[in-house]
Amino acid sequence: MDPVTLEDVKRDPEVDALIVKGNEHLGAMGFTEHSHRHLNLVAKIGYNVLEHLGYDRRLAELAAIAGYLHDIGNVISRQDHGQTGALLAYRILTRLGMPAGEVATIVGAIGNHEEEYGQAVNTVGAALILADKSDVHRSRVRNNDISTFDIHDRVNYAVEHSFLRVDASRRTITLELTIDLSISTPMEYFEIFLTRMMMCRRAAAFLDCHFGLVANEARLL
């Protein structure tokens, strides 16, 4: 049997329904966008992290699949969505014919990506954390009324550009941000995203790399 690919997962009607409805549910609760845009980006970044660091291409593909599926648990509840998402992914990937070892790697990554308690438990999980937590951008804000922005809306909206740079020769992974300082400040970014940045630092260390944060060309980490 051919390996299960990211494209196989994307074509699955059940996966698509879970993504669409999960994003709708988060929108009803006032959370930022978690649509196909976010999932495709996380899948791509996760793949690139491992590919640039010289890992096996199949492992990079598993990171991409984990990135695409990591938020499907939102269809059930935002709370503990990593664990519910892992259970949903287990059933879907098993149905698609993925070997048990690969399934176990992916569900372990998904089940440990939440910032409240997550940590890198395997290489795929480390790439997933770095990819997911680096997606900060104004396009994720759903509130159209700037005057009613809370700090999460304001910080996300202030980020005009974000890029996760991987330097294999220096063993560094750096999140580069361009922030509109008239909307928010790097201090506010740290206020709400400090836990995420600590997760990224540990995830990078799992990959034998150093994590850095640069905002408006100034190094903060």
Side-chain angles (χ1 to χ4, degrees):
M1 178 180 290
D2 292 333
V4 175
T5 67
L6 176 60
E7 292 307 313
D8 293 329
V9 174
K10 287 183 176 182
R11 285 194 297 265
D12 189 76
E14 181 182 0
V15 170
D16 197 63
L18 296 178
I19 291 171
V20 170
K21 286 300 180 181
N23 188 47
E24 287 181 7
H25 296 170
L26 290 187
M29 291 186 283
F31 285 95
T32 52
E33 168 267 334
H34 287 71
S35 67
H36 293 89
R37 185 213 68 87
H38 172 63
L39 302 179
N40 277 304
L41 183 60
V42 172
K44 180 179 180 180
I45 295 173
Y47 184 96
N48 288 341
V49 167
L50 296 190
E51 183 183 48
H52 290 337
L53 291 177
Y55 285 91
D56 179 81
R57 292 190 67 179
R58 181 56 185 167
L59 201 62
E61 177 94 4
L62 296 184
I65 294 172
Y68 194 76
L69 294 176
H70 78 282
D71 273 340
I72 57 175
N74 285 318
V75 74
I76 297 174
S77 173
R78 179 61 180 171
Q79 184 174 355
D80 296 330
H81 72 279
Q83 295 181 20
T84 54
L87 293 173
L88 290 170
Y90 177 88
R91 188 175 66 83
I92 291 166
L93 295 174
T94 301
R95 170 172 57 78
L96 291 176
M98 179 176 283
E102 293 187 349
V103 173
T105 295
I106 290 175
V107 298
I110 294 174
N112 289 281
H113 85 274
E114 290 188 66
E115 60 192 86
E116 291 83 1
Y117 53 77
Q119 60 179 335
V121 295
N122 55 43
T123 303
V124 167
L128 171 58
I129 288 170
L130 289 160
D132 181 38
K133 307 314 175 191
S134 65
D135 185 19
V136 185
H137 194 266
R138 63 176 45 182
S139 62
R140 302 196 67 189
V141 179
R142 305 197 217 210
N143 184 358
N144 295 318
D145 185 357
I146 296 179
S147 66
T148 63
F149 277 4
D150 62 14
I151 187 171
H152 290 84
D153 288 337
R154 191 164 61 250
V155 168
N156 275 281
Y157 194 80
V159 178
E160 299 175 332
H161 179 73
S162 62
F163 182 75
L164 190 68
R165 187 176 304 279
V166 179
D167 188 329
S169 62
R170 297 183 179 181
R171 306 301 297 184
T172 59
I173 301 174
T174 307
L175 177 57
E176 300 173 353
L177 303 174
T178 301
I179 300 175
D180 185 340
L181 297 179
S182 69
I183 299 174
S184 184
T185 65
M187 186 59 67
E188 283 191 320
Y189 181 91
F190 269 113
E191 183 179 340
I192 66 171
F193 288 148
L194 179 59
T195 303
R196 296 186 186 185
M197 294 301 96
M198 295 304 295
M199 279 189 75
C200 286
R201 174 176 281 181
R202 292 192 293 269
F206 192 95
L207 300 175
D208 193 29
C209 293
H210 174 77
F211 178 75
L213 175 65
V214 173
N216 295 357
E217 300 184 354
R219 181 166 292 277
L220 305 178
L221 281 176

